[in-house]
Amino acid sequence: MKLKTADIWNEHYAEIFLFVLKRVKNTDSTNDIIQNTFLKIHSNLRKVKQVSKIKSWVFQIARNEIINFYNDNSKSRSSADLELDWLTQSQYSSLCCFDKFVNELSEKYRAVIMLVFFDGKKLLEVAQELGLSLANVKARIRRGKKMLKVNFQKCCKFNIDENDRLIGELNCIRCNQV
């Protein structure tokens, strides 16, 4: 079966639009990100080897474009103005230790975090895929987020505000040692 960009657009546009809008909270920026996403999809469509993994591939491109958007915009903002709204604002996935902290999670927490926040799957889908109850998936997400927050507090010197969000400037022990 030969894939076409139009077919991917028709099948995944609405879901990608909501996925991006939830993270950037601006319709114009969302449209720009989606345009860039589909340009990359169209340019690289011939490289896809497994059609069954097309959805996760598309969402990975969208996530990368969101990160690019925040990286481009973060140059004009002070790091003191940034607030970590846990795993819903993708600019923090580009922080020095983010990938390391996610990878250090035990498999049961890492798998759920990756499927929900990185692959954009719904909680019920994750529960079915992993053979867990919905309550168990929610608990693992809550515990995984808590572990990530603790790591950011210890290593990167972020604080937690009254809404249980990380705030402050990046003051990473690892980065300052280099």
Side-chain angles (χ1 to χ4, degrees):
M1 177 181 157
K2 184 168 171 130
L3 289 173
K4 294 181 182 173
T5 307
D7 295 336
I8 295 171
W9 175 277
N10 292 334
E11 188 170 336
H12 299 290
Y13 172 79
E15 199 173 0
I16 292 171
F17 181 84
L18 294 174
F19 177 78
V20 174
L21 183 62
K22 181 178 177 182
R23 284 149 181 85
V24 299
K25 303 195 183 353
N26 178 303
T27 307
D28 292 333
S29 298
T30 298
N31 287 328
D32 290 342
I33 290 168
I34 289 175
Q35 180 179 7
N36 292 338
T37 299
F38 276 93
L39 282 171
K40 287 190 178 174
I41 289 169
H42 183 72
S43 299
N44 296 297
L45 197 55
R46 68 186 182 287
K47 297 178 185 176
V48 174
K49 291 181 172 68
Q50 291 182 314
V51 177
S52 63
K53 295 185 179 183
I54 194 75
K55 183 176 179 179
S56 59
W57 178 70
V58 167
F59 274 90
Q60 184 61 49
I61 293 171
R63 269 189 299 283
N64 290 341
E65 287 303 313
I66 293 168
I67 291 168
N68 292 343
F69 168 78
Y70 278 114
N71 285 340
D72 291 345
N73 289 334
S74 69
K75 294 173 186 164
S76 63
R77 290 201 255 173
S78 158
S79 62
D81 296 335
L82 298 177
E83 179 181 316
L84 287 174
D85 185 6
W86 268 95
L87 296 175
T88 59
Q89 293 183 0
S90 300
Q91 79 249 36
Y92 299 107
S93 64
S94 65
L95 288 175
C96 62
C97 301
F98 186 82
D99 290 335
K100 181 180 182 347
F101 293 156
V102 170
N103 290 330
E104 286 176 348
L105 290 173
S106 67
E107 178 57 31
K108 68 181 188 179
Y109 299 116
R110 182 176 56 246
V112 173
I113 294 286
M114 296 294 284
L115 289 170
V116 172
F117 295 104
F118 292 85
D119 293 343
K121 293 191 176 187
K122 295 181 179 170
L123 297 179
L124 194 54
E125 287 179 84
V126 173
Q128 291 170 346
E129 186 174 321
L130 297 177
L132 301 170
S133 69
L134 186 58
N136 197 322
V137 169
K138 290 178 182 180
R140 287 184 185 191
I141 288 172
R142 188 174 54 254
R143 290 179 194 135
K145 284 181 177 181
K146 187 174 182 176
M147 289 178 218
L148 291 170
K149 287 179 190 178
V150 168
N151 285 337
F152 270 107
Q153 280 183 286
K154 285 180 184 175
C155 179
C156 303
K157 305 298 183 201
F158 281 101
N159 297 310
I160 295 181
D161 69 5
E162 64 277 356
N163 295 319
D164 199 34
R165 294 185 188 151
L166 289 174
I167 57 169
E169 282 193 44
L170 177 64
N171 185 12
C172 182
I173 292 168
R174 290 183 181 132
C175 291
N176 290 336
Q177 290 176 349
V178 176

